[in-house]
Amino acid sequence: MSGKFRPRPGFVVQAYKFALDPNTAQERALRSHCGAARAAYNWAVSWVTASWWQRKAEASYGLGEEGLTSWRPWSLPALRREFNRVKITDPRFADWWEENSKEAYNTGLANAAAAFDNYANSKQGKRKGPKVGVPRRKVKRKARLACRFTTGTIRVELDGRHATLPRLGTIRTHEPTVKLLARLQDGTARILSATIRHERGRWFVSFQVEAAREITPVARPDGAVGIDLGIKHLAVLADRTGEIRYEPNPQHLDGSLKLLRFHSRRVSRRQGPDRNKGIQPSKRWIKANTERNKVHHRVANLRTDALHKLTTRIRAEYGTVVVEDLSVAGMLKNSRLARKVADAGFGEIRRQLTYKGQRNACRTIVADRWYPSSKTCSACGAVKAKLPLHVRVFTCDVCGLVMDRDENAARNLAALTAAVTTGTGVAGDQDTPCVSKPRGADRKTRRQRPDRNTGRGGRAGGATLPHQRQTEARDRRQAEALVLW
């Protein structure tokens, strides 16, 4: 299935993911299908880029544009036509291509077409984010095992413990599929595609389903909560009624570091692989490495379970959630905090809060990245010039408020819901009626440093200084830059 599927009105597209328990023959077939997808992807990348290298070589000989080899297309239909033409005679596919479903090869071709599209759009400036390089061939030892099925027999068996996929047959699931089966039997859902994937040492199948949209009412639809994420406490929740709740940080990785250190030493004492010398790993190394990976997989599973429970609990209670636009990539560059930040999963928390809010028709407000939630007093609105990270208690120099800095930040984030409706972003002004501002200012300008010439803050001789204009512009952006989903 190419292109982005658009569900019918009143329906949404969601996924149901189940762990599989394949036997030895079925696991071999699963790996064969994923390997076929990788082989088709590598063929498509080589076939398209071959014309690029040919044109570059011909241009080095002085040939004109008319004499160069024509560009090869990378659209999915073009790749599919060419692959069907060469797969019978090409020695790389002729002996075994019939062993797998055609959907396995179509998966690789579709991924290659998408990779070339992303590269072209990125080079032309049509794609956001970091620059995308030229698609490269996938290495067998590093490639992620995955395959997608869009046609053929894709169903969940009536016993609720088996799933049927094309050419793979019926595979037992590790967990019951009664939730999806009930919706299929009621006619409120239909399966669009299925994707098999090997991750964390297990095989999973994910069914993409077009399901009737069911909005679950939240306990407090008019309630708003601000969430300040941290390391000491995973999240500090403050709602507009003044209630504060601290969510502890499980720190799953820290609890397993001793066991990981033990297994890592066992792995280091065994003969591992060496590609430069052509040395294959010993069986004892493979066994020890498998035991170490199990610890990593357990930590990842515990983290995923904890984050899902936290975000589901928040979304089931509040109708509006305010979170920060944290620079997680920048935090990971701090060698002292990188492990703690990665273990907390800040980006995953925001992602889950966003899509779970959309599912229940609730609001998610993302505060601007430069909004000083920790430096702003939640009582009077005064902003500190500096607040080092090691200072865990916020003390206001104006009104004398003393409060935990995370709690103060959460209160300010909760107050941003009032900024959307009344134009104020201070926690202490939530009940203050909106006052007309002729110049359109939503927040007081910060107190400026005294001018060197006049010794006073503000304007000097009726002219605005450059650093004052920059500060005023930054304050306006902080007050207005709210991303509302």
Side-chain angles (χ1 to χ4, degrees):
M1 181 171 54
S2 60
K4 185 176 180 180
F5 177 80
R6 295 184 178 181
R8 294 173 290 174
F11 287 77
V12 294
V13 176
Q14 64 184 75
Y16 286 83
K17 187 176 180 180
F18 305 100
L20 296 176
D21 278 341
N23 55 33
T24 304
Q26 291 172 344
E27 184 172 2
R28 188 182 302 110
L30 289 171
R31 291 185 177 275
S32 178
H33 277 71
C34 296
R38 180 184 59 84
Y41 177 90
N42 290 341
W43 172 88
V45 170
S46 300
W47 185 73
V48 173
T49 56
S51 63
W52 298 7
W53 291 106
Q54 182 65 23
R55 288 175 61 90
K56 186 176 181 179
E58 293 172 352
S60 64
Y61 293 122
L63 295 179
E65 184 66 25
E66 298 79 6
L68 298 180
T69 302
S70 59
W71 297 98
R72 288 178 176 176
W74 62 65
S75 63
L76 179 58
L79 294 177
R80 191 181 296 167
R81 286 193 300 268
E82 183 64 21
F83 180 79
N84 290 334
R85 186 182 66 84
V86 304
K87 68 182 180 181
I88 302 177
T89 58
D90 195 326
R92 293 174 295 179
F93 304 100
D95 297 336
W96 56 272
W97 71 269
E98 294 181 345
E99 299 177 3
N100 304 297
S101 172
K102 63 181 180 63
E103 293 294 326
Y105 306 102
N106 186 72
T107 299
L109 300 179
N111 293 340
F116 281 108
D117 286 338
N118 293 336
Y119 166 70
N121 294 335
S122 178
K123 194 170 185 179
Q124 297 172 6
K126 300 179 181 179
R127 190 177 189 273
K128 297 181 180 180
K131 293 295 183 180
V132 178
V134 180
R136 297 180 297 179
R137 293 170 58 91
K138 294 183 179 181
V139 185
K140 182 178 181 180
R141 61 187 178 87
K142 292 184 179 181
R144 177 176 295 179
L145 300 178
C147 181
R148 185 166 182 247
F149 300 92
T150 57
T151 60
T153 304
I154 306 174
R155 66 171 181 263
V156 178
E157 298 298 335
L158 298 178
D159 59 357
R161 293 307 300 264
H162 293 82
T164 301
L165 300 173
R167 293 297 297 268
L168 295 173
T170 302
I171 305 176
R172 180 176 175 82
T173 59
H174 182 73
E175 50 193 337
T177 60
V178 291
K179 291 185 178 180
L180 176 57
L181 183 62
R183 303 202 66 175
L184 294 174
Q185 293 177 345
D186 294 343
T188 58
R190 68 185 183 98
I191 297 177
L192 303 176
S193 63
T195 302
I196 57 173
R197 185 185 302 272
H198 186 269
E199 57 184 11
R200 300 179 186 177
R202 303 208 62 170
W203 285 96
F204 294 88
V205 58
S206 177
F207 293 98
Q208 187 182 30
V209 178
E210 183 191 35
R213 184 172 185 177
E214 296 181 354
I215 299 178
T216 305
V218 298
R220 301 163 63 179
D222 298 332
V225 62
I227 303 177
D228 181 76
L229 303 178
I231 296 176
K232 182 179 180 181
H233 298 93
L234 181 60
V236 179
L237 282 66
D239 57 17
R240 297 185 60 182
T241 62
E243 180 183 354
I244 301 295
R245 191 166 59 204
Y246 288 84
E247 295 291 340
N249 188 357
Q251 299 183 0
H252 300 292
L253 180 60
D254 287 355
S256 302
L257 285 179
K258 184 176 181 180
L259 187 59
L260 280 174
R261 190 180 300 112
F262 168 76
H263 286 288
S264 297
R265 288 177 177 175
R266 289 186 62 193
V267 173
S268 65
R269 294 190 181 105
R270 283 149 175 75
Q271 179 179 319
D274 192 337
R275 297 183 61 208
N276 297 329
K277 298 181 180 179
I279 299 177
Q280 296 295 327
S282 64
K283 293 184 179 180
R284 298 175 73 245
W285 184 92
I286 295 176
K287 182 179 179 180
N289 189 51
T290 302
E291 294 297 327
R292 181 178 60 176
N293 290 340
K294 286 183 180 180
V295 180
H296 283 292
H297 297 158
R298 181 178 180 274
V299 171
N301 292 332
L302 289 174
R303 183 187 301 115
T304 301
D305 179 70
L307 295 184
H308 271 292
K309 290 180 178 178
L310 172 63
T311 55
T312 300
R313 187 168 62 253
I314 294 174
R315 272 308 182 183
E317 183 176 358
Y318 297 98
T320 302
V321 173
V322 186
V323 293
E324 291 181 293
D325 184 16
L326 299 175
S327 177
V328 181
M331 294 180 180
L332 293 177
K333 295 180 180 179
N334 189 334
S335 59
R336 296 185 178 182
L337 299 178
R339 189 180 68 194
K340 300 284 187 178
V341 172
D343 190 23
F346 293 157
E348 182 66 14
I349 293 176
R350 174 181 166 181
R351 185 189 73 87
Q352 292 183 13
L353 288 174
T354 301
Y355 84 80
K356 291 180 181 180
Q358 294 174 347
R359 185 171 58 189
N360 292 336
C362 296
R363 291 195 309 172
T364 302
I365 300 177
V366 181
D368 182 69
R369 179 167 294 182
W370 306 109
Y371 173 66
S373 60
S374 299
K375 299 178 182 179
T376 305
C377 178
S378 58
C380 65
V383 181
K384 280 181 171 292
K386 293 183 179 180
L387 186 64
L389 189 61
H390 68 272
V391 179
R392 305 310 304 170
V393 178
F394 177 86
T395 304
C396 182
D397 301 330
V398 179
C399 65
L401 175 69
V402 178
M403 184 181 295
D404 180 74
R405 66 176 290 161
D406 295 336
E407 179 181 345
N408 179 70
R411 289 180 181 273
N412 288 324
L413 292 175
L416 285 181
T417 57
V420 177
T421 56
T422 65
T424 176
V426 181
D429 299 338
Q430 293 180 14
D431 300 329
T432 303
C434 181
V435 181
S436 175
K437 301 180 178 63
R439 295 191 301 170
D442 292 334
R443 184 177 300 168
K444 290 183 179 181
T445 304
R446 296 182 186 178
R447 185 178 179 180
Q448 307 299 327
R449 293 178 296 179
D451 182 56
R452 295 182 179 179
N453 299 326
T454 63
R456 298 176 300 173
R459 300 186 179 184
T464 305
L465 299 179
H467 75 274
Q468 295 176 356
R469 291 195 297 268
Q470 295 176 1
T471 304
E472 293 174 359
R474 182 173 66 250
D475 289 341
R476 287 195 298 269
R477 290 196 303 269
Q478 291 175 355
E480 299 174 359
L482 294 177
V483 182
L484 178 60
W485 282 316

